[in-house]
Amino acid sequence: MRVLIAEDDIETARFLERGLEELGHTATLVSEGEDALHAAATCEFDAIVLDRMLPGLSGLDVLRRLRAAKVRAPVLLLTALGGITDRVEGLEAGADDYLVKPFAFAELTARLNALLRRPPLSDVVTRFEVGDVTLDLLRRDVTRGGKAVHLQPREFALLEQLMRHAGRVVTRTMLLELVWGYHFDPQTNIVESHLSRLRSKLRDAGGDDPIETVRGAGYRMRASG
């Protein structure tokens, strides 16, 4: 594993370098924001450990510029700022994970290994097309026959799961777990009511209902209505 370590505390940086190299990895050290940006943009790394508070360009500025430049190496943001707002800000800037100082080296390496187990971005499906219905996860939009379909977040999540499993039955239990995170039946018609609104909006965009109710089993997205 080739790791870029952007950390201005030389003791911490050397500790990380030594630990990673003992595990058979290759570590490159930089201590300033501009150097981190240049190294990450010009060399290929398997992962980046990025201190949030670097001299010159901050870690967040480096991160935003790397993502804008389409650098996709997974980034573990390393920082002493551990508040919820700080974590959210770091993740929204493009970090893949967040580790608060002081930290255990074993946890850092476990987190890096977890990041490397994720599929490459090019292998992640972000757009689904079933019949004349298109759902784009990055743009967060849905169209039918080229006409925009405006969905609420739960409706969007329901349609995403049906399109991911197009042609196959998705059970009510699966939808409760995948869309609402329920691992039990709340004994309500929450699935049915949201599906009813979703179906109505899809029909309003033109065409028949593309969602089939499979009696006693669940629901299935059809390629044509």
Side-chain angles (χ1 to χ4, degrees):
M1 176 168 58
R2 293 155 298 178
V3 183
L4 173 64
I5 301 171
E7 168 62 67
D8 66 327
D9 183 276
I10 190 63
E11 185 175 340
T12 299
R14 293 297 183 191
F15 169 73
L16 291 175
E17 179 187 37
R18 183 171 61 254
L20 288 170
E21 291 186 345
E22 286 175 353
L23 292 174
H25 306 306
T26 300
T28 298
L29 302 185
V30 294
S31 59
E32 297 191 3
E34 291 286 357
D35 293 336
L37 181 62
H38 176 76
T42 57
C43 301
E44 187 174 340
F45 293 97
D46 297 306
I48 300 171
V49 177
L50 180 64
D51 182 23
R52 179 170 174 148
M53 302 177 70
L54 291 172
L57 282 178
S58 72
L60 290 185
D61 287 334
V62 171
L63 185 53
R64 292 188 183 103
R65 294 194 189 188
L66 289 176
R67 294 315 188 210
K70 307 300 182 185
V71 175
R72 298 303 185 188
V75 173
L76 174 63
L77 203 59
L78 194 61
T79 176
L81 302 175
I84 295 297
T85 301
D86 300 313
R87 293 171 186 262
V88 170
E89 188 178 20
L91 294 169
E92 289 187 341
D96 297 275
D97 201 354
Y98 201 105
L99 187 59
V100 178
K101 298 176 181 178
F103 60 90
F105 179 73
E107 181 180 4
L108 181 140
T109 55
R111 287 175 179 266
L112 287 178
N113 288 332
L115 290 177
L116 291 176
R117 288 196 297 270
R118 295 180 182 178
L121 191 63
S122 58
D123 293 342
V124 177
V125 178
T126 61
R127 181 182 173 89
F128 299 91
E129 293 186 30
V130 181
D132 60 353
V133 179
T134 300
L135 181 147
D136 192 310
L137 290 173
L138 297 181
R139 295 169 58 91
R140 302 297 295 179
D141 64 19
V142 173
T143 60
R144 184 172 194 189
K147 183 178 180 180
V149 181
H150 301 290
L151 301 180
Q152 294 299 313
R154 297 291 191 189
E155 297 163 357
F156 185 95
L158 275 172
L159 182 60
E160 177 190 344
Q161 293 306 323
L162 290 167
M163 294 183 76
R164 282 184 182 275
H165 299 84
R168 292 174 286 165
V169 172
V170 182
T171 68
R172 184 175 184 275
T173 299
M174 289 171 63
L175 292 174
L176 284 170
E177 291 184 344
L178 294 169
V179 177
W180 281 273
Y182 291 164
H183 300 288
F184 61 93
D185 190 338
Q187 300 298 318
T188 69
N189 66 344
I190 189 171
V191 173
E192 292 76 13
S193 61
H194 280 76
L195 268 171
S196 177
R197 290 194 293 271
L198 170 60
R199 288 169 138 167
S200 177
K201 291 179 179 181
L202 290 173
R203 286 195 301 268
D204 288 345
D208 297 330
D209 187 355
I211 301 172
E212 175 188 3
T213 298
V214 181
R215 191 172 299 277
Y219 306 92
R220 179 166 49 211
M221 188 78 179
R222 295 179 292 199
S224 60

